[in-house]
Amino acid sequence: TGTRTRPTSPIATGRGTGSTVTQPPDDGLATGLRELIAEATGSDPGALEISTIPGGASRETFLAASNDGRWVLRRDPVGAKDSFAPLETEFRVVKAAAAAGVRVANGLAFEPAGGRLESAGFVMDHVEGTSFAPRVLRREELEAARSALPAQLGEALARIHSIDGRSIEGVAVSD
């Protein structure tokens, strides 16, 4: 099961496989994303090259790259019905986790449905790394990473448990 994606431009070269989507200057998504990044960072990132990131079950995930940096966009598919957890709530949780010292990508900005991202979504800094478990579990050169992983996970869980969910708008907490 991969990410359900739709090309964001009529000149897309592929679907859901990390393929590059070439953005003409007037493309709505590229323009909206560029504006959002500029507002959040205080600097225009310049022209963006957008490619899909495969692996999501119900959300679209894109890598946006320019000469000035790389960012990740998570958004609901255009026209999708409400999801289990609204992206605005996910964005707030990511921000709370960062404030608690959890090592997460820096959430930059949220845009509601009907805005510049064509549907609800948020943009965050890109973080280099491997998220595909079999690579980490099998490759000899990643032995040191495997050895460090349990302590890192324990530290992250402790920081996550320090977050008061009641302080995050949209998060339902039971007593």
Side-chain angles (χ1 to χ4, degrees):
T1 64
T3 302
R4 292 181 303 170
T5 61
R6 278 180 284 101
T8 57
S9 164
I11 51 179
T13 59
R15 239 184 109 130
T17 58
S19 56
T20 298
V21 178
T22 305
Q23 300 294 336
D26 62 335
D27 184 272
L29 178 59
T31 301
L33 186 54
R34 182 176 176 174
E35 289 173 2
L36 198 59
I37 292 168
E39 287 174 12
T41 65
S43 176
D44 182 355
L48 298 175
E49 183 177 288
I50 299 176
S51 57
T52 59
I53 300 175
S58 62
R59 299 253 163 80
E60 296 176 321
T61 308
F62 300 93
L63 175 65
S66 77
N67 291 335
D68 291 340
R70 293 162 50 124
W71 302 269
V72 173
L73 166 64
R74 283 184 45 80
R75 74 171 189 179
D76 287 326
V78 176
K81 296 186 182 208
D82 291 339
S83 61
F84 170 71
L87 271 172
E88 187 170 14
T89 302
E90 182 178 329
F91 178 72
R92 289 183 187 128
V93 169
V94 168
K95 296 291 281 182
V102 180
R103 293 172 63 182
V104 296
N106 181 39
L108 296 173
F110 172 79
E111 184 81 3
R116 294 171 285 188
L117 302 178
E118 301 171 354
S119 63
F122 69 92
V123 64
M124 62 188 125
D125 288 331
H126 176 265
V127 176
E128 277 304 322
T130 299
S131 63
F132 190 62
R135 290 182 189 152
V136 174
L137 297 174
R138 295 185 187 125
R139 289 191 177 167
E140 238 179 82
E141 66 268 22
L142 296 176
E143 173 59 37
R146 280 192 298 279
S147 297
L149 192 57
Q152 291 172 344
L153 290 173
E155 180 182 334
L157 284 171
R159 291 178 186 273
I160 290 167
H161 281 281
S162 74
I163 300 168
D164 181 0
R166 294 172 294 218
S167 69
I168 305 170
E169 185 181 338
V171 173
V173 178
S174 60
D175 291 329

